[in-house]
Amino acid sequence: MLRTWLLVLLFLSLAFSKERMSVFTFEQMNLLSEDLVIKGVNPKYDFYIPTLPQLIEGRVHLRLSLPEYLRKDSSVMILVDDVPYVSYSLMSVPADVVIPVRRNKNRDFVKISIIGNLRISNNICEDVFSDRIYMVVRKDSYVSFYYQNYRNIREFLRDYDNNYCIDSHYLLPFIYQMCKQNPIPCNVKYTAGQTPSDCKLIKLSTDEKISLKPDGLYVPKETYLVFEEDIFYPLLFSRDQALTGVDREAKIQRNEISLRELGIRTATVEGSGNISYTIPLDLSRIGGIPDRLYLKLDIANSPPHQKDKMELRVYVNGFVLNVYKLEDGGRHSFNIEIPTDQLHYGMNYISINLVNFTSSDNCFGAITHTVLTVFDTSYLYWNSLEKDPKSISEFFNALSGYVALVVEDPAFYRVATKLITDLATYNKNIKVLDINPKDLSMYDFLILFKKPQDTKGMPIDLSKGEFQIINPLTNKVLFASMPTESFGVLMLSSVDKRPALVFSYFLSPEGIENVLNYSYTDMLGLAGNVAVATETFLGSYQVGEKMRVRYPQEKDISYYWNKYKIWIMLLLAVPIALFLSYTYRKLTRRQIT
């Protein structure tokens, strides 16, 4: 109750000042999708909070959970930019750990680290490998930002007020590139023909200038081209910026990528006995699933202590690949083949685990300290890539490189806007996004919004009207289009030998609006090549390989057979009986009376 009154007073005070406030949970900021469980005697979690130029002050509200059975001298330390800020003993960790943050020396981010020193016994050998030692960072942790209003184009585009509206679908490529680079996830709506008051308006400009005016930001159609290289933001400190011609770089086929290019910098992990470093590998960053994939791993480690033994273990998605014995410390290099049958479209995880097996002489008393460094000069290399997603989920996870967006009917504009905004938040691996290009041959993936009459040759031909998805083994109807109201339909197809995700609708254009009821993470759960989105139901089916589509209004041979098979059999029986009678008489030369 006290917290509620404090928030009310805070909002009232902000209403009468020039300061503004926005609050985001860790889930909304895409820091955590679920509660994070970190195991080990020295669990550590690093995250970054955006400190934009308009920031006055931010407050991080951390919500941590620790087991009550830990030793009472266990502790948690919070660091800000690697400088210790506060330390708590097990019994003194508050429900909300509040950490103030400010902008420091023109830096756009501040680093927050949580480091635990957790024990349950006096035997380090047991504690290091115990599953009962952990710390939980909850996804409902949140950040409150207090900031002033934007003063130029750059601050308009990168702002704690993340609500935008657009008046033209031609702005969608710009929205993707803008939101892709925005540290605050965007919320963009298509509002052509309306006068919204709850968002910052972005309009299509009629000249070659980006102009910030009282009624919104005016953007030329080709502005997204200069944002593709991620170098244009520093130039936007005015309220007016002219654009010059931009040449897009030629498309390059690569067969290797370093950790540095993946955004992973050289990292050092310290702890006791068993320490790990995880490399997130999103296969869309390399363009697909490789035929053969290798990791050239460069590390350095502290030497094993006296009688201790040390191993380096490499895991992929939880499966152990290789185990190497380390006799000494220093720098080491390993060439590791990663079996592609253990990989899947989307995010994969390569874990580097350094294990120090402490000898029984060292289990009590002083704790052996272990250090592991993974260098960003490590790199992945491969030969050929496969781009053949089998489901809608795999399509979203594979989406990368050059993407064509084809949307011409205004009925689709709102859904297309939400989709592109979600992609900018959850998939930053699209280098080029073009809208309605004439030639689709240069693109890796296609996103098409089509009317039902244009879906001939796809898993479901919506131009045929009513349809049923059935299990051919049992003839059971799994989904029937009638008597359902209008709904949206998603289909994975192939157009010009390229993976294509098709959005359409059944009955009326209002059906596609149902897609707005579901999140991007819901879409990632669609394991079939066809999905239907009603107002209350989102389901997917594997049509073709497992399921079949039946069109009740289409009268094929099976329809007439099922309806008239008795009459057909009778009609066939008469000439067959006469023929058999004639044959019998010929063979026996007898007169049948």
Side-chain angles (χ1 to χ4, degrees):
M1 181 61 71
L2 177 60
R3 183 181 169 205
T4 301
W5 278 107
L6 288 174
L7 286 174
V8 171
L9 291 173
L10 180 59
F11 277 114
L12 288 174
S13 65
L14 289 173
F16 293 99
S17 70
K18 293 184 179 180
E19 292 184 16
R20 308 176 69 187
M21 187 182 87
S22 294
V23 178
F24 302 94
T25 66
F26 276 29
E27 186 175 19
Q28 291 171 329
M29 291 190 66
N30 209 24
L31 291 173
L32 293 176
S33 59
E34 299 292 340
D35 291 346
L36 176 65
V37 180
I38 321 168
K39 295 184 178 182
V41 294
N42 295 121
K44 183 179 181 182
Y45 172 54
D46 297 329
F47 60 96
Y48 295 84
I49 299 298
T51 53
L52 304 177
Q54 53 268 49
L55 179 68
I56 298 171
E57 184 183 46
R59 295 174 192 167
V60 180
H61 296 256
L62 275 177
R63 294 180 173 175
L64 307 175
S65 299
L66 295 158
E68 295 181 355
Y69 53 74
L70 293 176
R71 256 175 38 180
K72 301 308 177 187
D73 60 345
S74 297
S75 63
V76 175
M77 178 181 289
I78 308 296
L79 294 86
V80 177
D81 283 333
D82 297 321
V83 177
Y85 169 71
V86 67
S87 183
Y88 298 100
S89 65
L90 176 65
M91 304 304 294
S92 64
V93 178
D96 268 12
V97 179
V98 181
I99 308 163
V101 295
R102 292 180 178 273
R103 185 171 173 83
N104 181 23
K105 297 180 180 179
N106 294 322
R107 291 177 57 190
D108 285 342
F109 290 91
V110 62
K111 178 183 177 183
I112 307 292
S113 302
I114 311 168
I115 302 176
N117 181 22
L118 312 180
R119 299 290 299 277
I120 56 174
S121 73
N122 294 321
N123 188 329
I124 184 61
C125 298
E126 293 181 0
D127 286 1
V128 163
F129 295 100
S130 174
D131 288 332
R132 299 180 63 226
I133 300 179
Y134 63 88
M135 174 173 64
V136 179
V137 183
R138 288 164 46 188
K139 67 178 181 181
D140 61 350
S141 301
Y142 65 97
V143 188
S144 53
F145 297 101
Y146 306 89
Y147 58 98
Q148 60 188 355
N149 200 21
Y150 56 84
R151 296 160 293 187
N152 52 50
I153 299 173
R154 184 178 188 269
E155 292 180 5
F156 179 96
L157 296 175
R158 304 181 75 170
D159 196 7
Y160 297 109
D161 180 359
N162 63 336
N163 297 302
Y164 299 91
C165 294
I166 60 173
D167 68 347
S168 171
H169 65 292
Y170 287 112
L171 289 170
L172 289 177
F174 169 75
I175 288 299
Y176 176 79
Q177 299 296 344
M178 178 196 85
C179 294
K180 171 184 174 180
Q181 301 174 33
N182 202 326
I184 304 294
C186 295
N187 178 26
V188 184
K189 295 183 292 185
Y190 179 82
T191 57
Q194 305 175 32
T195 54
S197 59
D198 59 344
C199 57
K200 298 185 293 186
L201 190 59
I202 302 177
K203 297 184 176 183
L204 198 62
S205 174
T206 56
D207 56 28
E208 297 302 313
K209 285 185 178 180
I210 304 178
S211 301
L212 184 57
K213 299 179 180 179
D215 62 336
L217 182 69
Y218 287 76
V219 178
K221 183 179 176 181
E222 306 299 327
T223 303
Y224 70 97
L225 293 173
V226 298
F227 278 77
E228 288 178 358
E229 301 305 320
D230 196 16
I231 59 174
F232 197 57
Y233 266 120
L235 305 177
L236 300 176
F237 284 113
S238 66
R239 299 180 72 91
D240 224 29
Q241 178 68 50
L243 288 181
T244 56
V246 179
D247 294 326
R248 177 178 281 169
E249 290 185 357
K251 189 175 180 181
I252 301 174
Q253 297 293 338
R254 302 187 57 187
N255 64 352
E256 68 174 52
I257 188 170
S258 68
L259 296 192
R260 182 179 299 172
E261 291 172 297
L262 288 171
I264 301 170
R265 297 295 182 182
T266 296
T268 297
V269 186
E270 302 183 36
S272 301
N274 187 354
I275 58 176
S276 294
Y277 180 75
T278 299
I279 301 170
L281 173 59
D282 188 342
L283 288 184
S284 63
R285 292 296 303 272
I286 66 176
I289 294 182
D291 180 31
R292 302 187 73 175
L293 179 65
Y294 299 87
L295 169 64
K296 182 68 182 315
L297 179 65
D298 291 329
I299 68 160
N301 62 278
S302 57
H305 182 262
Q306 296 179 357
K307 299 179 182 179
D308 296 353
K309 294 183 180 180
M310 186 173 285
E311 286 182 355
L312 183 76
R313 301 173 179 176
V314 180
Y315 297 81
V316 171
N317 293 331
F319 296 95
V320 65
L321 283 186
N322 296 87
V323 178
Y324 304 94
K325 288 185 178 181
L326 299 178
E327 303 292 341
D328 55 8
R331 191 155 182 167
H332 303 279
S333 183
F334 303 91
N335 203 40
I336 305 164
E337 181 172 3
I338 299 175
T340 54
D341 58 358
Q342 299 296 327
L343 301 175
H344 50 258
Y345 285 107
M347 192 64 74
N348 297 265
Y349 297 94
I350 303 173
S351 296
I352 313 301
N353 181 216
L354 185 64
V355 184
N356 187 80
F357 295 96
T358 306
S359 66
S360 57
D361 297 341
N362 298 327
C363 287
F364 299 91
I367 300 174
T368 303
H369 197 69
T370 308
V371 182
L372 168 68
T373 295
V374 178
F375 294 100
D376 58 13
T377 52
S378 304
Y379 61 93
L380 294 149
Y381 62 100
W382 59 90
N383 47 2
S384 60
L385 295 171
E386 174 189 287
K387 298 174 185 175
D388 187 25
K390 303 297 184 183
S391 68
I392 296 172
S393 174
E394 287 188 355
F395 180 91
F396 279 119
N397 283 317
L399 199 59
S400 60
Y402 283 52
V403 176
L405 173 68
V406 179
V407 50
E408 298 174 347
D409 190 326
F412 295 116
Y413 290 168
R414 289 184 65 209
V415 174
T417 301
K418 181 180 183 298
L419 174 65
I420 296 306
T421 305
D422 287 344
L423 285 174
T425 299
Y426 295 100
N427 184 344
K428 301 183 185 298
N429 301 320
I430 299 174
K431 178 175 176 57
V432 168
L433 177 70
D434 289 334
I435 187 165
N436 298 339
K438 294 181 180 179
D439 181 11
L440 300 179
S441 63
M442 65 170 285
Y443 298 94
D444 301 307
F445 297 89
L446 312 176
I447 300 175
L448 313 176
F449 289 82
K450 288 184 170 291
K451 295 179 180 179
Q453 57 265 35
D454 298 326
T455 59
K456 293 180 176 67
M458 295 186 180
I460 299 178
D461 185 352
L462 296 171
S463 67
K464 294 181 179 180
E466 296 178 37
F467 67 90
Q468 297 172 343
I469 298 176
I470 63 171
N471 184 336
L473 300 178
T474 63
N475 210 35
K476 180 180 178 181
V477 176
L478 303 178
F479 180 84
S481 61
M482 297 295 287
T484 308
E485 297 179 353
S486 300
F487 55 84
V489 180
L490 285 70
M491 294 183 283
L492 183 64
S493 187
S494 177
V495 176
D496 292 342
K497 298 182 179 180
R498 283 158 179 77
L501 183 61
V502 179
F503 288 77
S504 190
Y505 55 83
F506 176 75
L507 278 188
S508 66
E510 288 76 18
I512 196 65
E513 295 283 313
N514 290 323
V515 176
L516 298 173
N517 297 333
Y518 304 98
S519 67
Y520 184 79
T521 51
D522 292 331
M523 300 294 177
L524 290 178
L526 299 175
N529 64 339
V530 167
V532 292
T534 70
E535 188 174 353
T536 59
F537 171 76
L538 177 68
S540 65
Y541 308 90
Q542 194 67 35
V543 172
E545 292 184 3
K546 297 180 179 179
M547 309 303 168
R548 298 289 185 269
V549 178
R550 183 165 60 199
Y551 304 95
Q553 295 178 351
E554 188 177 61
K555 297 178 176 59
D556 56 8
I557 294 176
S558 61
Y559 169 82
Y560 289 106
W561 169 254
N562 290 327
K563 188 171 182 177
Y564 300 109
K565 59 185 174 184
I566 295 177
W567 290 103
I568 294 173
M569 292 176 67
L570 288 173
L571 290 172
L572 290 175
V574 171
I576 290 174
L578 292 173
F579 174 75
L580 291 175
S581 175
Y582 173 78
T583 303
Y584 180 76
R585 282 185 302 170
K586 284 291 185 180
L587 292 174
T588 59
R589 301 178 182 274
R590 294 172 56 185
Q591 183 74 30
I592 298 178
T593 59

